[in-house]
Each structure stands twice: as C-alpha cells, then as structure tokens.
Amino acid sequence: MAMLGYAEIIAAFLCFLLLWYWRWNKHSPTINWPIFGMLPGLLQNALHVHEFTTRLLKHNGGTLEFKGPWFTNMDFVITADPANIHHILSRNFSNYQKGPKFREIFEAIGDGIFAADADSWRFQRKLLQSMMKNKKFELFLKRFSRGKVENCLIPILDHFSSMGLEVDLQDVFQRYTFDNVCYLVLGFDPNCLSSEFAQVAHAKAFDQMEQSAFYRHIVPESCWKFQRWLQIGQEKKLSIAWKIFDQFVYQCISSKCEQLSRSRAQKMEVEEEKFDLLTACIEQDDGGEMDGSTKSTKFLRDMAFSLIAAGRDTISSGLTWFIWLVATHPSVEAKIIEEMKEHLVVNNEIMLGIDEVSKLVYLHAAICESLRLFPPVPFEHLCAIDSDILPSGHRIDPSTRMLYCPYAMGRMESIWGEDCLEFKPERWISEKGRIVHVPSYKFVAFNAGPRTCLGKDMSFIQMKIVASTIIWNYRLQLVEGHPVLPSVSVILHMKHGLKVRVTKRAL
Ligand code: HEM
C-alpha cells in the first residue's frame, strides 16, 4: 500500500514537471523533451516540415541546435543565417564535408559528385566542369532542348488545349526534364514526353528513391537500418526502385560502350553533333589521376546518377512553382509578355530561340524570385570535421551535422525585408534595368562557394525556353479547388501536381 503511495507521488511529481516544462516552452514551435528531444515536434509537423523549420528558425534568431532522442545520434545544428552559410560554404569550406552520414542517407548516389569529398570530389568537379564548358556540349544542349519544346511540348499542350482537358504541368515538366537530362548525360532519349503519357518505370523509381532519402532524414538511423535489414516499408520500396533504376542506367552504359567500341573498330568518328556526358567521360583521358577508374562501369553509373538527380527534378520543380506563381500573378504575366513583345518580335514574328530569351531581364528576375521562394532543394547538409565557432556564436563540435535551409531563408524578413513573402520580380532589377547581384550565400538556391551548382546557367536556359514558350502561347487557368502544397521530400515538388487548363492565346 505504502509502495503504491510512493509510486503515485512520483508519477504525480513527474506529471507536474512535464506540465511545467510544457508551459515553459509552449511558445516555442517545438519542445525539447527529456529522452525524446525535439523529435515528437518534428514528427508531428512532418507533413509541413518546411513551414515548421521556417517557424523554428525565425523563433530562434536564424540558428538552432536541434536535439534528437537520447542515444540516436540525431542532433544537428540548423541555420538560415547568411553569415553562417557564407562561413561553412566558403570561408571555412575545408572544415565542412558531406561526410559518411550523408553517403549513408543518400546511399543510392554511390560515389557520385553529390556525395563525394576531398580528392574524389575535386577530380569529378574538374572533369564535369571541363566537359560542360565544351562548346559542343552547349550546342548539343541548345539543339535538343529546343527540339523537345517544338516537337513534344507544344504538340502535347495543343492537344490538351483543343480537347479542353486538364493537364498536370508538373508531370509534363518532369517528363520534359527527364528526357532532356537522359539525353545530355546518357545520349539516350527515353521519350517520356510523348502523347501517350505512359508511366515510365525508371522515372517513377527515381521519385521513390527521393522519398526514401527524405524518410531517412526524419526517423532515427537505427530504425531505418532495421527496416532495411528486414526489407520492409520505405526501405523495401527503396531497394525495388534502386534495382529498376540501376538496370536502366547499366543498360545505357553497356550499349554506349558497345557503340563506341564498334565506331572505334570501324574507325568511324563519333557523330559530330552528339556530345553526351557519358561519351565524353568514356573518351576522356583522365591522365591517370584516378587509376583509370573513370572508365569503370560503377564510376560511370554513379556519375550518371548524380547528374540525372541534379538535372531532372530541380528544373522541373523550379518550372512548376514558377508557372504557378505567374498564373496567380496576372500583372507579372502581363509584364513578361510585354517584355517579350518588345524584344523578341521581329516582322510580326516571335523569335523564341535560346539566345533571344536569354536577353529577357524581367523574365530572369521573375525566375530568380520564384527560386527564392520555392528553391528546388529546400534544405542541404554538411558535417563538421573539427570544432568551430559560427559567426552567430554557436559552437560546433567535431562531427556535428549542419543543416542549412534555402526554403526558410527565402522567408526571412531579416534577409529580404517585410515583403519577403510576396512574389516581386522587381526586387531583382536595379534602377538601371539590370539584374541586381545578390550574394550566393543569401540566395542559396544553387548552393554557394566551391560546391556551387555546375548546372546553374544550363538551368536558366532551359527554364527560360520552356517558360517563355508556355506564357507566349497559352493562357493558363488553374483547376479550381486543386490543392497546391509543397511535398515532403528532398526536392520541393508540388504534392498534388499542378493541374491547369490551357487555352491557345491570341496575341
Ligand atoms: C533549377 C535547377 C537547379 C538547382 C536549383 C540546382 C541546385 C543545386 C544545389 C543546391 C546544389 C548543391 C547540392 C549539394 O551540395 O548537396 C547543386 C549541385 C550541383 N548541381 Fe545543380 N541545380 C540545378 C540544376 C542542375 C543541372 C541541370 C545540373 C547539370 C546536369 C546540375 C549539376 C550540379 C552538380 C554537378 C552539382 C554538384 C556540385 C559539387 O558538389 O561540386 N544542377 N545544384
């Protein structure tokens, strides 16, 4: 009886402590509970995790130490402070790397550039940089992107327009970018963007791999590793998707190698106008830098995977949010059309070539503004090697994981002013009518410092060509009642797609 009395007293005392703790913390977006840390808050808000982290960061002055449950190794420092980002991505670059945790979470990337550190990263970056700077690659990119727009995108949208049917533009953009990036990287066009709109297994597999990578961010490591061992849930889906995707890439690599050795045997030149990165990589003389491993199938697979990941969903996500913003801001749409009329109409004909659309300042500003509010990569992470002190004063211990959040940064009044939530392309245009230079550690959609995105210029080209073609040729009407929300993934997709009706525009 006496024992029960003590137990009750202890339970009541613990309840009192928890209640007091909750009341003390109730104005914070999350509570750091004993034992469970901040994980309950994160899981409770997992469905709108980007908004949640934005609130959390605002509440904590831009940087906070996230505490996971005890003994789960889930602690990290999260920041949206430009000074901290400048510090970790540039000033003290050598102290921050992707690290083994990143490679575990993004296991399917293998040793590709996204997951690589030190010499392997330097080597791959140099290799890709030299291939992407090649004039032949630029020409190849221009010709193929334009061809896809004229021969696939326009006929498909014309079809939906004439039938008066709804179309999911996000799906259309994903198909367009998947075809584009596969052709540029592998030299093979999977033709996802065709009038049949068939489900393409390896494209779907890619989506699944992204979702599973996100899942590994929000559950304790031991939990997903156990699931992986048992092959259940998300981990089982990941294994299946991974297999499907690998089959596709390895198939492309082996036919490319065969094709090249046939051409060599017959002493034929590789077609002049073809310049995919896979061919360039196989033909490249690596100067013995990597012991000839650039020619290994695994190296080629990992490189192809990284580039497809880099180029497919980022551009399609950027385009989806951009078109939605334009469709919901008629004054911006009108200004884009006005600028196009002024600069691109020659003898009553519109010139929608890549070189022409590249001159449009207002369109460029509107795309930057859209990427500010909806960065395709909403958060990124690195790991500290040695101890450090951030400009915000936070202490970093060796092996601390650092997360930085482009999504939250776009919503910080301290960075963009009181109107930070508004879509205002004008903020990117100077009084002289030029694009305002914003430091990359403030506008971090393409990363910053030595690991800045290698596809930035290429992305602007592709986004401009697709966006200008759609805006010039069609009126877009959003399907009423269709929910527009960011998805919970490592890429900022639209959760339910972008459903619109398109009608031909008479200008
Ligand atoms: C709107 C489109 C794009 C956005 C917003 C974007 C954004 C980014 C970001 C945030 C990173 C850093 C990722 C990290 O370190 O974890 C990155 C890296 C990279 N991006 Fe992009 N990207 C885009 C398109 C592309 C395209 C089309 C390509 C080329 C096919 C590309 C190639 C790369 C490469 C190779 C890296 C690795 C750089 C390195 O680690 O040194 N990106 N990109």
Side-chain angles (χ1 to χ4, degrees), residues 395-468:
R395 230 196 113 70
I396 302 295
D397 294 325
S399 302
T400 302
R401 278 205 293 159
M402 292 278 324
L403 249 82
Y404 53 105
C405 300
Y407 184 91
M409 288 180 79
R411 284 157 177 73
M412 292 281 168
E413 288 179 9
S414 53
I415 304 177
W416 300 100
E418 278 178 11
D419 59 358
C420 60
L421 297 181
E422 287 173 39
F423 176 56
K424 265 172 102 173
E426 287 73 13
R427 77 174 88 236
W428 292 86
I429 303 176
S430 71
E431 278 175 13
K432 289 187 175 155
R434 301 214 183 100
I435 291 291
V436 174
H437 170 74
V438 177
S440 51
Y441 50 86
K442 192 172 152 189
F443 172 54
V444 79
F446 292 97
N447 218 26
R451 287 194 92 131
T452 295
C453 172
L454 282 174
K456 183 175 175 184
D457 295 344
M458 172 175 157
S459 304
F460 272 107
I461 291 181
Q462 293 206 20
M463 288 178 72
K464 282 178 190 170
I465 201 82
V466 173
S468 60

Side-chain angles (χ1 to χ4, degrees), residues 21-312:
Y21 197 70
W22 172 76
R23 278 180 65 87
W24 180 258
N25 285 282
K26 77 176 177 189
H27 295 298
S28 166
T30 190
I31 298 176
N32 184 9
W33 295 103
I35 305 175
F36 301 107
M38 296 175 176
L39 186 64
L42 177 63
L43 291 178
Q44 196 187 345
N45 290 284
L47 290 181
H48 37 266
V49 68
H50 306 305
E51 288 305 329
F52 170 66
T53 42
T54 306
R55 265 187 292 132
L56 206 57
L57 284 162
K58 277 188 182 172
H59 185 82
N60 288 279
T63 305
L64 113 138
E65 288 173 51
F66 183 95
K67 295 285 177 197
W70 295 354
F71 313 117
T72 57
N73 201 8
M74 267 186 92
D75 294 1
F76 52 83
V77 171
I78 175 166
T79 189
D81 177 340
N84 287 348
I85 287 164
H86 190 31
H87 182 82
I88 61 174
L89 294 182
S90 297
R91 289 174 169 220
N92 202 7
F93 172 74
S94 57
N95 192 44
Y96 294 90
Q97 57 172 6
K98 293 293 171 96
K101 269 262 169 313
F102 185 99
R103 282 187 278 280
E104 266 193 347
I105 289 180
F106 292 98
E107 204 182 348
I109 290 183
D111 300 319
I113 184 165
F114 274 116
D117 283 317
D119 286 348
S120 164
W121 166 73
R122 258 185 292 279
F123 172 74
Q124 293 189 56
R125 185 156 176 111
K126 216 167 90 187
L127 184 72
L128 282 172
Q129 237 164 355
S130 81
M131 292 191 300
M132 287 165 88
K133 269 197 191 137
N134 193 316
K135 279 271 165 247
K136 278 196 214 164
F137 178 71
E138 206 180 296
L139 249 157
F140 187 54
L141 165 72
K142 284 184 179 178
R143 202 169 298 144
F144 188 74
S145 311
R146 189 73 215 134
K148 266 276 151 194
V149 167
E150 275 165 12
N151 305 326
C152 302
L153 185 68
I154 295 180
I156 282 171
L157 292 182
D158 280 353
H159 167 76
F160 279 101
S161 161
S162 63
M163 303 294 283
L165 296 171
E166 285 172 15
V167 55
D168 176 0
L169 278 186
Q170 176 166 263
D171 188 21
V172 170
F173 295 150
Q174 282 181 339
R175 288 166 184 274
Y176 169 81
T177 50
F178 194 68
D179 286 352
N180 246 327
V181 78
C182 282
Y183 200 62
L184 295 176
V185 174
L186 304 169
F188 165 75
D189 179 0
N191 245 322
C192 296
L193 187 64
S194 60
S195 52
E196 295 84 46
F197 259 50
Q199 286 284 0
V200 179
H202 36 264
K204 280 274 142 222
F206 213 83
D207 295 340
Q208 180 56 52
M209 284 191 277
E210 273 172 11
Q211 264 176 35
S212 304
F214 182 79
Y215 179 76
R216 286 185 177 184
H217 281 88
I218 58 166
V219 294
E221 192 181 320
S222 49
C223 184
W224 66 255
K225 283 192 171 165
F226 192 52
Q227 285 187 311
R228 183 176 64 180
W229 185 66
L230 291 174
Q231 279 301 294
I232 53 169
Q234 276 291 335
E235 291 297 319
K236 182 177 177 189
K237 290 185 191 166
L238 171 63
S239 302
I240 296 171
W242 189 342
K243 222 180 200 163
I244 295 173
F245 193 78
D246 268 7
Q247 266 170 3
F248 164 68
V249 177
Y250 279 122
Q251 170 77 48
C252 289
I253 294 174
S254 83
S255 32
K256 174 67 60 186
C257 289
E258 267 172 40
Q259 189 191 324
L260 288 174
S261 60
R262 247 196 333 266
S263 317
R264 257 185 243 122
Q266 293 164 5
K267 299 214 167 31
M268 283 157 52
E269 281 287 312
V270 179
E271 282 175 68
E272 237 330 273
E273 70 275 16
K274 276 201 157 190
F275 187 88
D276 57 87
L277 295 179
L278 188 56
T279 308
C281 198
I282 297 171
E283 304 265 272
Q284 178 100 0
D285 178 9
D286 65 17
E289 240 184 287
M290 293 287 281
D291 305 328
S293 62
T294 45
K295 310 287 190 283
S296 88
T297 337
K298 170 77 167 64
F299 177 87
L300 296 173
R301 177 264 174 217
D302 289 350
M303 193 203 65
F305 189 103
S306 273
L307 289 176
I308 293 172
R312 179 223 180 187

